[in-house]
């Protein structure tokens, strides 16, 4: 079973970072999407919105994340409380 971990936290000393380390140990075969390390911008621009309805995207990271998720059986989200997946992941999550 291929697992993808979607991680979003800027500080390596955070509780979320500790959770990530434990998840990595327990998961086995996994792919990590680190939204902060990738400098992913979750805000959809007018230009992106114009092509979104056709199932297209302009951000190359969205293409990368789509390829990863197409090969994923299980997703683990690790992010600070109070934030939604949509806020963190932006349009790649709504594919």
């Amino acid at each position: 079973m291929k697992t993808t971990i979607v991680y979003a936290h800027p500080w390596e000393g955070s509780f979320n970072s500790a959770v990530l380390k434990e998840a990595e140990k327990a998961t086995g075969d996994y792919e990590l999407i680190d939204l902060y390390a990738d400098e992913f911008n979750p805000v959809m621009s007018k230009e992106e919105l114009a092509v979104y309805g056709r199932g297209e995207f302009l951000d190359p990271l969205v293409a990368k994340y789509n390829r990863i998720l197409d090969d994923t059986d299980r997703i683990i989200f690790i992010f600070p409380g109070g934030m939604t997946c949509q806020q963190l992941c932006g349009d790649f999550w709504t594919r």
Side-chain angles (χ1 to χ4, degrees), residues 62-80:
V62 174
K64 174 186 170 184
Y65 297 158
N66 275 322
R67 283 192 302 276
I68 292 169
L69 292 173
D70 282 344
D71 191 37
T72 295
D73 301 305
R74 177 174 64 173
I75 303 173
I76 299 170
F77 290 96
I78 303 172
F79 55 89

Side-chain angles (χ1 to χ4, degrees), residues 1-3 5 11 16 19 28 30 32-33 35 43 45-46 50 57 59 62 64-66 73 75 77-78 80 89 94:
M1 176 180 292
K2 179 69 180 277
T3 300
I5 300 172
W11 183 43
N16 287 298
V19 170
Y30 72 94
L32 176 64
I33 295 175
L35 299 174
V43 177
S45 69
K46 287 187 227 178
F57 38 81
D59 187 340
V62 174
K64 174 186 170 184
Y65 297 158
N66 275 322
D73 301 305
I75 303 173
F77 290 96
I78 303 172
C89 305
T94 58

Side-chain angles (χ1 to χ4, degrees), residues 8-73:
H9 202 284
W11 183 43
E12 289 185 24
S14 70
F15 174 74
N16 287 298
S17 180
V19 170
L20 173 63
K21 288 176 184 149
E22 292 303 313
E24 288 173 323
K25 284 192 257 181
T27 301
D29 180 29
Y30 72 94
E31 180 88 30
L32 176 64
I33 295 175
D34 185 335
L35 299 174
Y36 276 89
D38 289 347
E39 297 182 358
F40 178 69
N41 181 1
V43 177
M44 186 181 287
S45 69
K46 287 187 227 178
E47 295 79 18
E48 289 169 319
L49 184 57
V51 300
Y52 175 76
R54 297 190 305 259
E56 300 172 15
F57 38 81
L58 302 176
D59 187 340
L61 282 174
V62 174
K64 174 186 170 184
Y65 297 158
N66 275 322
R67 283 192 302 276
I68 292 169
L69 292 173
D70 282 344
D71 191 37
T72 295
D73 301 305

